Amino acid sequence: MTTASQPVLLEAVGVPDGHTIASYRSRGGYAPLEQVLAGKQPADVIEMVKSSGLRGRGGAGFPTGLKWTFLPKDHPGPIYLCINADESEPGTFNNRILMEDDPHQVLEGIILSSYATRASTAYLYLRYEYPQSWHRLQAAIDEAYAAGYLGKNIRGSGFSLDVYLHRGAAAYICGEETGLIESLEGKRAWPRIKPPFPAIEGLFRKPTVVNNIETMACVAQIARRGVDWFKSIGVPADPNNPRDPGSYGPKLYCLSGHVEKPGCYEAPLGITARQLIDGQGGGVWKGRRAKAVIPGGISMGLMTESELDTPLDFAGPGKVGCLGLGTAAVVVIDDQTSIVDFLHNSCRFFAHESCGQCTPCREGTSWSLRMLERIKAGKGRLRDLDLLAEIGGTMGMMPGSTICGLADGAAWPIKNAIKKFRGEFEDYIKRTNPSGWMVTDPVPALQIVGAH
Amino acid sequence: MPTIIVDGQEIEIGADERLNCIEAARRAGKEIPHYCWHPGLSVVASCRMCLIETGSRDAATGKITMVPKLVPGCQTPVKDGTVIVTESQLVKDSRARVEEALLIDHPIDCPICDKAGECLLQDYHFQHGQAERRADLHPFTSRRRDVGPTVTLFVDRCIMCTRCVRFTREVSGTAELMVTSRGAKEEIDVFPGHPLDNKLSGNVVDLCPVGALGDKDFLYQQRVWFMKREANVCGGCSAGCSIHTEHNQDTIYRLKPRENPHVNGWWICDEGRYGWHHVHDPARIVAAGRRALTGGAFTTVEWHDVVGRLRDDLKSAGRLAVAVSPMLTVEEAWMLCAVARSIDPEAFLAVGHVPRQGADETFPGGFTIRGEKCPNRLGVEAVVALFDPAVRSWDDLVTHVRGGKANAVWITAAYPGPWLDEAAAAAFAGLDCLVVQDLFESPLTALATWQLPAAGFAERAGTWVNVAHRAQSFGQAVRPPAGVWPEGRLFWNMLGRRGLYDPDAVRRQVAESSAALVALAGEIPPHGVDLRIAQLA
Amino acid sequence: MIAHKKILTDEMVAKIEALAPRYPNRRALTLPALHIVNAELRHVPLDAVVEIAALLGLAPAEVQDTLTFYQFFHQEKPHGKVRAFVCRSVSCALRGGDHLLEHLCRKHGVEPYGTTSDGELTIEPAECLGACDFAPCILANDDLLKNMTPEAAEAELKKPRARAT
């Protein structure tokens, strides 16, 4: 596959005042929108996005154009577009850069997507922890209204759109699409049971599409550079597998952890973890080797050092037992880091963020954290590893035991860590609890340490 | 007719029925365990206890395709060809895990928890749970938190099913209960200064699958396995909510709603729920008393003697007027009228005083409390109509008596509390014979020559007709105190009938003579019968 | 009976009402209203919850339910003039985030989530601030403090800082 040499999604990074409308226009921005509004129908835009093979960049990788077609035809409205700017997956920060450095790219994508889906209002749900993005986005929205790209009868097309920022309050589960919707509606962010799906009954019980920030940026670039351009980048669909939608387009990879050069790097979908770490990343830090690498945000689990040649496209990580590509946030863990500490950190995160609605996740995340705390306190048992593996294997949407995928995200690091690094866990437990590692009966709990 | 396959067994459901898998499986005799689902509340599918395997059977080929993962039975509707599997290893393991998860942090309170014996957590543990604990040990007892005047909360027993919160938002519309915090730290609470205090509050205790929500009125009073349950009807207002009276050794301990889709759904109001204490009030009249002069002491008359002496007194006084209380059953009302007319063929029959308090109140979920605070005005009116189409009212009776047209007045009352003042009672002064049959002393009993005890609602057997013309029959739940003869037994004997009072026989007799009450002729089903529909038929 | 002094100023109410046309119902104003009050008072006291509920046509328990879910709004007393969120998620933890948090808490004599007695500084653990390119990092009001060490963090947190948006 051809590689893209110049950054496209990140074209404004480093450009002075790159976040302004003037700068965006000088780079060709908003011309595609004007052309679409002047001569294309919403169905044309849907077709364009479908043909491009764009898959959602928020973590699930669902084909974007296809998702838009789930909206009911001829609905009297209102139809809503929710932009998921709640980016909270540990290791992930590409949305932040897009919003801070090129908010108009995101906005143009939003306006095009709203036009395609006939949404009359777009709510941009922005996490609290991004105040700079808040300011940049609000300024961009104001500029767009002033330029006539938002509001009533945009550019005389008859299409009207309002975009509103809505601020979150530091809860990870608001990144789940129906958790986001519940939060926007003013309630606790407990994800909804499906069906009904948001396209049928979403925000305020109206048809709703929820899309990620990076996905919106891709829509703007597809409109500017074309479907063929987008499809020339990445990994094409497997001709032997009619269900494979391929992994097209440029992707923003976030690289962090134990690397020399943490940062957000644009590359065609399909780059391997090793290429990213040794190339853009400057290698594992301090001359060390990698012990484990998260492929796409902590929910995706772990790859071992020998698995680093896995292509980071939508299909790759699954082949080595990870949950998927997720947010393409690559986090490197060096060989001097205890995997027990890693898993404790992961379990603490998910216990803190579990919304608490359904039994397996609420109790499973809490139970696994407490076991990790006890293991770290030198009172672990080998038996705990079996229990952790069982929790990891039974908690989640995939077996059907939970309402949303947070539980799958909580389970996967446990599953991968225990399976791929069991020896290290066993050594740690035996070493730190020489008198008790073999006990199989229940043991007294530690003083319960809250995850909050 | 749509066919559903439950664990290999085929069952048919109605073409228009909308059932979920739990309801469908019940038709096949299979109970899918569940905590958070309730037919009267929104579906949240959060407890995950009802996870089952489902699939569909192709109508043409008969091939069964199963969904590759577990799904909640509560949120999955059934249609023709739906396949439900409730007992596979996958399902059993899932249930065992949910049980285990709920027990990890559950206080070991069974010995001191009211819910023991009717607790779903206990029951499902024995039916579906794991034999041994695998999680760390930290035995503890629950914190207790006051959430309102009638309900208490044992915080740590809660399993976060959120039925109680949904009830206050969807059914009572008062939204006092809330979930606080997030994840495993979530708790139920009320906002400070805004306690759980609405007219339907007590229902949340019924809804709670475990011993988290407790009824202050019942707390620590009785172990549930000692109590018996009688299907009754609440006597508090004309809604006629179906209830269960739970009692032991003739003492009532609590009332619970009995599901009746035609009347109260799944709920009762607090006034009805706690409206049984008067039955055990030590101030009740418990003896038949007679006195020669007003103001002297009553002499107790033995019940067998009451039958004859009461008749003699009323006959010798002459010009009888009777108030047929809307607290009486249809059967009692009919017998009273018959007795009255057998004493005085021109006895003036009136419907007794109808207590009213406030307006009807309907809650967002549809439940209605009636302002008419008696259970059987319509039934009594229909009976009185058989004897006198004029169907006189209490006011008519007062006018009649004030006009000097009666020498003997028999007032049946049986109201749970004070119902008239001295001024109202004064109309009945100076009669040759005043019989008052009531639960408590009043300005009226102060004037009476005969003071007879009345039955409390749970001591009565018979039929009441509610505001919507639905007739419900019920049996006696507890025996009255001190050998008291309830109205039914006294009237039965005064009619000269042999043997024990048989309300069914009276009911059938009433049905024969009344077009309005013809539906009472047959067996009355547990949810009652709509009298108007039977009339149309 | 002493008249209850209003917590929500006219300005706060005006800000909340200005957002009303954006949403088809009042309940959706809950989170924006909590932020507006919090930005001003650095906490959302119970009395404010009652006023917000009345303004939006909700029961106080409904607003409190939402508020407590986020584990974000202080209620008993204001948080510090500087609210320092110290990230402890995986990328920052790998580069010393937990040690940073522990050090700062010890240095300022507070437990995590605690406020110094002079009311100046609150130190809270945060989950992934989305600045893993600059791990370990701290969000102090609106400012992202990058590549922090305990010493650099101490120096930064001494500086006066504009209030958070």
Side-chain angles (χ1 to χ4, degrees):
Chain A
M1 281 305 289
T2 43
T3 57
S5 46
Q6 291 277 46
V8 168
L9 298 170
L10 295 181
E11 67 187 7
V13 175
V15 172
D17 295 326
H19 57 278
T20 60
I21 194 169
S23 171
Y24 187 63
R25 272 197 175 131
S26 75
R27 284 179 268 122
Y30 285 124
L33 173 63
E34 292 178 23
Q35 280 162 26
V36 162
L37 290 177
K40 301 272 188 233
Q41 292 301 308
D44 298 326
V45 181
I46 296 180
E47 196 46 48
M48 172 187 79
V49 172
K50 274 179 81 173
S51 315
S52 73
L54 170 64
R55 292 170 71 170
R57 298 313 200 221
F62 195 87
T64 306
L66 182 61
K67 187 149 103 172
W68 291 354
T69 65
F70 294 156
L71 291 165
K73 313 281 176 281
D74 305 321
H75 193 274
I79 293 175
Y80 295 115
L81 179 63
C82 288
I83 313 305
N84 191 342
D86 194 58
E87 182 170 73
S88 307
E89 182 69 30
T92 314
F93 46 95
N94 62 71
N95 287 182
R96 187 198 94 230
I97 291 169
L98 285 172
M99 289 187 282
E100 287 180 359
D101 292 351
D102 205 349
H104 281 286
Q105 179 183 222
V106 171
L107 257 187
E108 185 176 17
I110 291 173
I111 302 169
L112 285 164
S113 304
S114 300
Y115 181 70
T117 55
R118 301 179 201 265
S120 54
T121 308
Y123 295 98
L124 204 156
Y125 189 101
L126 175 65
R127 66 180 308 208
Y128 176 84
E129 298 90 325
Y130 285 176
Q132 174 75 328
S133 297
W134 173 269
H135 290 123
R136 287 278 166 92
L137 280 167
Q138 190 58 61
I141 289 170
D142 294 341
E143 285 182 313
Y145 271 102
Y149 292 126
L150 285 174
K152 298 255 177 291
N153 193 15
I154 296 171
R155 295 278 154 151
S157 65
F159 170 62
S160 302
L161 178 68
D162 285 314
V163 176
Y164 300 126
L165 294 184
H166 190 98
R167 202 163 191 194
Y172 170 78
I173 194 62
C174 295
E176 200 277 350
E177 66 175 358
T178 57
L180 188 156
I181 287 171
E182 287 284 299
S183 176
L184 233 170
E185 291 189 5
K187 299 174 251 174
R188 61 176 36 230
W190 277 3
R192 294 181 181 169
I193 54 176
K194 298 107 167 148
F197 288 87
I200 306 300
E201 241 186 72
L203 183 63
F204 307 121
R205 297 287 161 186
K206 298 291 181 206
T208 303
V209 168
V210 182
N211 279 140
N212 173 266
I213 288 279
E214 189 183 344
T215 309
M216 293 293 91
C218 286
V219 168
Q221 294 297 346
I222 290 166
R224 196 192 306 174
R225 295 163 197 260
V227 167
D228 292 341
W229 160 79
F230 196 78
K231 291 193 89 156
S232 73
I233 303 165
V235 181
D238 176 358
N240 297 323
N241 181 358
R243 285 167 163 244
D244 175 23
S247 296
Y248 294 104
K251 182 77 190 73
L252 295 183
Y253 290 91
C254 299
L255 184 60
S256 66
H258 294 158
V259 286
E260 287 295 334
K261 293 194 282 183
C264 178
Y265 302 108
E266 186 171 339
L269 267 169
I271 190 174
T272 71
R274 198 183 301 282
Q275 287 167 341
L276 187 65
I277 293 166
D278 291 343
Q280 292 93 325
V284 180
W285 75 348
K286 304 183 181 175
R288 297 178 188 170
R289 291 180 65 83
K291 170 184 282 186
V293 172
I294 295 170
I298 202 171
S299 301
M300 299 300 115
L302 297 170
M303 298 188 295
T304 61
E305 204 281 341
S306 61
E307 291 169 339
L308 292 184
D309 297 301
T310 306
L312 295 176
D313 58 18
F314 288 106
K319 295 189 178 128
V320 292
C322 293
L323 184 49
L325 179 63
T327 57
V330 179
V331 183
V332 179
I333 300 166
D334 72 19
D335 56 1
Q336 293 192 25
T337 304
S338 166
I339 205 73
V340 179
D341 285 339
F342 161 76
L343 190 58
H344 172 260
N345 183 286
S346 180
C347 289
R348 182 178 65 187
F349 173 79
F350 287 105
H352 185 207
E353 299 293 348
S354 170
C355 83
Q357 185 183 193
C358 60
T359 310
C361 176
R362 181 182 72 241
E363 305 299 337
T365 55
S366 170
W367 191 11
S368 39
L369 172 62
R370 290 196 222 161
M371 278 198 274
L372 261 305
E373 301 249 314
R374 184 164 46 69
I375 289 170
K376 276 189 71 162
K379 293 186 162 58
R381 312 165 300 160
L382 289 194
R383 175 105 169 96
D384 296 331
L385 300 178
D386 298 327
L387 292 171
L388 283 164
E390 187 181 321
I391 293 171
T394 54
M395 182 167 68
M397 272 180 92
M398 290 169 68
S401 67
T402 58
I403 293 175
C404 86
L406 183 148
D408 303 75
W412 236 265
I414 300 174
K415 266 211 298 207
N416 286 168
I418 304 281
K419 180 144 187 248
K420 298 183 181 183
F421 297 92
R422 189 168 187 120
E424 187 178 336
F425 278 102
E426 291 188 356
D427 286 347
Y428 182 94
I429 289 170
K430 286 180 173 168
R431 186 167 38 86
T432 56
N433 190 10
S435 61
W437 61 262
M438 73 296 288
V439 171
T440 52
D441 286 342
V443 291
L446 285 189
Q447 181 76 16
I448 293 165
V449 181
H452 292 263
Chain B
M1 300 280 270
T3 302
I4 320 294
I5 303 100
V6 180
D7 292 334
Q9 183 193 342
E10 289 197 5
I11 51 151
E12 279 192 0
I13 63 169
D16 294 332
E17 289 193 280
R18 300 277 168 269
L19 305 179
N20 64 22
C21 291
I22 297 176
E23 293 165 317
R26 267 189 190 142
R27 302 277 177 96
K30 291 292 177 91
E31 182 65 23
I32 296 175
H34 58 280
Y35 293 107
C36 67
W37 178 69
H38 188 280
L41 302 171
S42 59
V43 177
V44 290
S46 60
C47 74
R48 313 311 278 184
M49 193 61 185
C50 71
L51 291 176
I52 48 171
E53 293 192 77
T54 59
S56 55
R57 187 175 68 183
D58 186 281
T61 65
K63 177 167 182 275
I64 292 180
T65 312
M66 297 299 287
V67 172
K69 58 181 189 177
L70 299 165
V71 297
C74 65
Q75 70 168 89
T76 308
V78 298
K79 54 186 207 292
D80 186 49
T82 297
V83 174
I84 297 174
V85 171
T86 73
E87 299 289 351
S88 66
Q89 197 57 49
L90 198 63
V91 172
K92 288 181 180 175
D93 288 345
S94 170
R95 285 180 191 151
R97 267 187 220 108
V98 171
E99 271 303 290
E100 176 177 49
L102 292 175
L103 287 169
I104 289 175
D105 258 336
H106 200 74
I108 47 163
D109 277 355
C110 290
I112 55 166
C113 175
D114 261 13
K115 203 78 175 180
E118 57 181 18
C119 170
L120 287 184
L121 193 62
Q122 271 187 348
D123 294 346
Y124 292 160
H125 173 72
F126 286 111
Q127 292 163 21
H128 308 293
Q130 290 166 353
E132 295 186 356
R133 183 181 174 90
R134 303 189 297 174
D136 295 351
L137 306 169
H138 59 281
F140 71 107
T141 188
S142 175
R143 293 167 291 156
R144 186 173 165 186
R145 174 180 294 161
D146 198 25
V147 292
T150 55
V151 177
T152 189
L153 172 65
F154 292 89
V155 184
D156 302 300
R157 297 179 191 166
C158 172
I159 57 167
M160 268 299 138
C161 75
T162 69
R163 280 176 165 193
C164 58
V165 176
R166 284 178 279 141
F167 179 85
T168 64
R169 290 179 184 178
E170 297 165 15
V171 181
S172 67
T174 46
E176 301 107 320
L177 291 175
M178 61 179 175
V179 178
T180 60
S181 193
R182 187 172 76 214
K185 295 187 129 197
E186 281 166 351
E187 293 177 6
I188 299 293
D189 207 343
V190 288
F191 192 87
H194 290 72
L196 174 67
D197 191 9
N198 63 74
K199 293 185 181 171
L200 307 181
S201 296
N203 290 294
V204 301
V205 179
D206 301 335
L207 285 171
C208 185
V210 298
L213 286 168
D215 202 319
K216 286 183 182 176
D217 189 57
F218 178 69
L219 198 63
Y220 305 139
Q221 294 305 307
Q222 183 62 264
R223 275 307 194 186
V224 304
W225 51 80
F226 291 134
M227 295 192 295
K228 294 173 208 39
R229 251 175 22 159
E230 183 72 35
N232 270 153
V233 177
C234 173
C237 78
S238 59
C241 297
S242 299
I243 58 170
H244 276 121
T245 303
E246 303 203 4
H247 57 94
N248 183 26
Q249 297 180 357
D250 293 318
T251 302
I252 298 171
Y253 287 95
R254 66 180 181 187
L255 305 180
K256 286 272 191 190
R258 177 164 55 94
E259 186 180 333
N260 190 334
H262 305 285
V263 184
N264 54 308
W266 305 272
W267 324 121
I268 51 173
C269 73
D270 284 3
E271 209 177 295
R273 180 185 296 271
Y274 305 120
W276 56 266
H277 289 277
H278 66 272
V279 176
H280 298 303
D281 192 325
R284 271 180 74 176
I285 299 167
V286 294
R290 182 183 181 278
R291 57 186 166 194
L293 302 156
T294 308
F298 286 106
T299 310
T300 300
V301 181
E302 210 276 301
W303 280 101
H304 287 285
D305 293 335
V306 171
V307 176
R309 292 183 67 182
L310 179 57
R311 174 180 285 275
D312 291 344
D313 278 4
L314 292 171
K315 205 161 172 83
S316 64
R319 296 202 304 164
L320 176 61
V322 177
V324 187
S325 170
M327 306 298 292
L328 296 179
T329 63
V330 164
E331 296 85 343
E332 288 161 343
W334 189 87
M335 288 191 294
L336 175 59
C337 293
V339 167
R341 286 286 171 87
S342 75
I343 295 172
D344 173 1
E346 277 159 33
F348 183 93
L349 303 172
V351 176
H353 165 73
V354 176
R356 285 196 169 88
Q357 206 182 319
D360 290 354
E361 194 177 343
T362 301
F363 292 84
F367 184 84
T368 303
I369 302 175
R370 299 286 171 184
E372 184 175 286
K373 300 299 184 190
C374 56
N376 197 25
R377 175 178 61 83
L378 289 182
V380 167
E381 284 179 355
V383 165
V384 170
L386 295 176
F387 296 85
D388 178 2
V391 189
R392 318 263 183 202
S393 70
W394 170 262
D395 289 343
D396 294 335
L397 173 69
V398 170
T399 305
H400 182 84
V401 171
R402 280 220 175 96
K405 299 185 182 159
N407 300 339
V409 177
W410 186 353
I411 296 175
T412 55
Y415 304 108
W419 57 282
L420 85 173
D421 56 19
E422 290 203 10
F428 299 93
L431 291 164
D432 294 343
C433 184
L434 174 62
V435 182
V436 180
Q437 195 164 17
D438 203 355
L439 285 168
F440 298 104
E441 289 173 7
S442 67
L444 205 54
T445 59
L447 300 169
T449 38
W450 276 93
Q451 178 180 276
L452 300 175
F457 74 94
E459 298 159 354
R460 224 177 272 291
T463 306
W464 282 338
V465 180
N466 78 356
V467 65
H469 300 270
R470 176 162 291 267
Q472 297 182 77
S473 293
F474 45 90
Q476 183 190 60
V478 297
R479 290 174 299 187
V484 160
W485 284 18
E487 293 90 327
R489 187 173 177 188
L490 175 62
F491 305 158
W492 174 268
N493 278 277
M494 289 185 77
L495 282 179
R497 305 223 175 161
R498 318 292 296 261
L500 291 176
Y501 166 46
D502 181 357
D504 287 344
V506 179
R507 192 187 79 242
R508 284 191 290 271
Q509 189 172 3
V510 172
E512 277 164 29
S513 44
S514 166
L517 300 169
V518 68
L520 298 182
E523 273 296 313
I524 312 292
H527 293 161
V529 62
D530 185 330
L531 294 178
R532 290 167 304 179
I533 290 177
Q535 282 176 55
L536 291 171
Chain C
M1 171 138 176
I2 299 170
H4 169 73
K5 181 165 177 285
K6 276 195 346 165
I7 308 258
L8 265 58
T9 61
D10 291 342
E11 202 194 326
M12 288 181 203
V13 172
K15 278 189 184 158
I16 296 168
E17 290 295 348
L19 299 176
R22 297 184 173 194
Y23 309 99
N25 65 43
R26 303 279 288 175
R27 188 187 293 271
L29 290 166
T30 302
L31 192 49
L34 292 172
H35 276 310
I36 285 166
V37 173
N38 188 60
E40 216 28 65
L41 303 179
R42 303 204 304 276
H43 69 311
V44 184
L46 290 175
D47 287 339
V49 173
V50 177
E51 290 178 30
I52 292 171
L55 189 64
L56 303 186
L58 301 170
E62 293 176 283
V63 178
Q64 182 74 355
D65 188 320
T66 298
L67 185 160
T68 59
F69 174 81
Y70 293 102
Q71 302 280 287
F72 172 85
F73 297 100
H74 288 237
Q75 286 206 284
E76 280 175 44
K77 60 182 172 74
H79 61 71
K81 293 194 186 124
V82 174
R83 193 173 182 189
F85 289 102
V86 183
C87 183
R88 65 174 189 186
S89 292
V90 64
S91 301
C92 285
L94 287 169
R95 291 173 90 111
D98 278 311
H99 298 304
L100 184 61
L101 173 67
E102 191 204 346
H103 172 92
L104 289 172
C105 284
R106 203 173 357 103
K107 201 78 172 66
H108 291 274
V110 294
E111 292 294 311
Y113 301 101
T115 302
T116 53
S117 47
D118 61 5
E120 291 295 314
L121 176 65
T122 297
I123 302 174
E124 300 190 26
E127 298 290 359
C128 193
L129 293 174
C132 326
D133 37 355
F134 308 116
C137 57
I138 296 174
L139 181 67
N141 291 0
D142 275 8
D143 302 324
L144 183 66
L145 308 177
K146 306 174 179 177
N147 301 118
M148 284 288 102
T149 60
E151 298 72 32
E154 278 179 53
E156 280 288 345
L157 293 180
K158 281 194 172 68
K159 296 179 185 170
R161 215 164 278 280
R163 61 156 53 167
T165 305

